[in-house]
Amino acid sequence: MRARELKVIGAVEFSPRTFPDSRGVFVSPFQGDGFAEAVGHRLTVAQTNHSRSRRGTIRGLHFSDVPPGQAKYVYCPQGALIDFVVDVRVGSPTYGVWDAVRLDPVDFRAVYVPEGVAHGFVSLEDDTVLSYLCSTGYNPGSEHGLNPLDPELALPWSVDDPTLSGKDAAAPTLAEAAEAGLLPTYDACLARYADLRG
């Protein structure tokens, strides 16, 4: 399992080895030891999520209050998508920075999204599936979103007429969320990461 740090501090791309043969392919998209070596702590999985999306669907950008926050480890077992991470931690050296990774069932790359970082993706094919390992369960009272079409972020979604949920389309921009006090602080996130390391 190879790990590569993304532009957003704490976000990591993982690339597992694949084992193709005449029957198909075998792969381990998540490996606990490799994850802990790269991130500095183990991932507690409190919930798994599964989404299936038609081509051109944007889901996100989502994040949650810290503490405790919700970290995500995501990979794509079917279809193809571009996965985005955006640093929304006020005071972070990479605040407002984003990065993107193509996820598909060819290379089986995965992305780790730490607590306090916003996450979203766009599906490139019909019936695209994203699998999520989540560090905490869903808590609607602590969940927030940013408008994925925020012109200040200018994320390259690569679709002309995207499909969004009403909630995502009505979400605030990064600047509006900051002004409303919705964003986590980098200091709170650092304290959470220190707790996880132990």
Side-chain angles (χ1 to χ4, degrees):
M1 175 81 83
R2 289 178 289 121
R4 179 178 71 89
E5 293 184 3
L6 298 179
K7 294 176 186 175
V8 172
I9 292 173
V12 182
E13 174 198 275
F14 289 90
S15 299
R17 288 183 62 195
T18 59
F19 300 91
D21 62 23
S22 60
R23 301 166 296 172
V25 66
F26 178 86
V27 64
S28 295
F30 175 77
Q31 299 169 32
D33 289 345
F35 175 89
E37 182 178 341
V39 175
H41 62 81
R42 293 201 168 270
L43 179 65
T44 298
V45 178
Q47 179 173 312
T48 62
N49 296 335
H50 170 107
S51 68
R52 186 175 70 219
S53 305
R54 67 177 184 176
R55 184 182 182 279
T57 295
I58 293 175
R59 294 183 187 263
L61 302 159
H62 301 147
F63 63 97
S64 58
D65 292 334
V66 180
Q70 184 185 68
K72 299 171 184 173
Y73 186 96
V74 298
Y75 65 94
C76 176
Q78 178 177 304
L81 60 91
I82 304 296
D83 200 74
F84 288 87
V85 292
V86 180
D87 194 343
V88 298
R89 299 166 294 187
V90 176
S92 167
T94 54
Y95 176 76
V97 171
W98 61 268
D99 207 346
V101 177
R102 179 187 169 98
L103 303 183
D104 59 39
V106 177
D107 297 315
F108 280 96
R109 284 185 292 268
V111 171
Y112 173 63
V113 186
E115 292 87 349
V117 172
H119 172 258
F121 70 90
V122 59
S123 57
L124 303 178
E125 300 177 5
D126 286 336
D127 295 320
T128 288
V129 172
L130 189 66
S131 291
Y132 311 66
L133 308 180
C134 302
S135 65
T136 58
Y138 176 64
N139 180 356
S142 69
E143 299 291 323
H144 304 285
L146 298 178
N147 191 312
L149 304 181
D150 179 351
E152 182 181 341
L153 292 174
L155 300 179
W157 292 106
S158 305
V159 289
D160 294 328
D161 187 21
T163 300
L164 284 74
S165 72
K167 184 177 179 180
D168 288 345
T173 65
L174 179 62
E176 291 167 342
E179 186 175 344
L182 297 176
L183 303 179
T185 68
Y186 190 52
D187 286 345
C189 292
L190 289 178
R192 176 61 176 159
Y193 308 153
D195 287 344
L196 292 169
R197 287 192 290 268

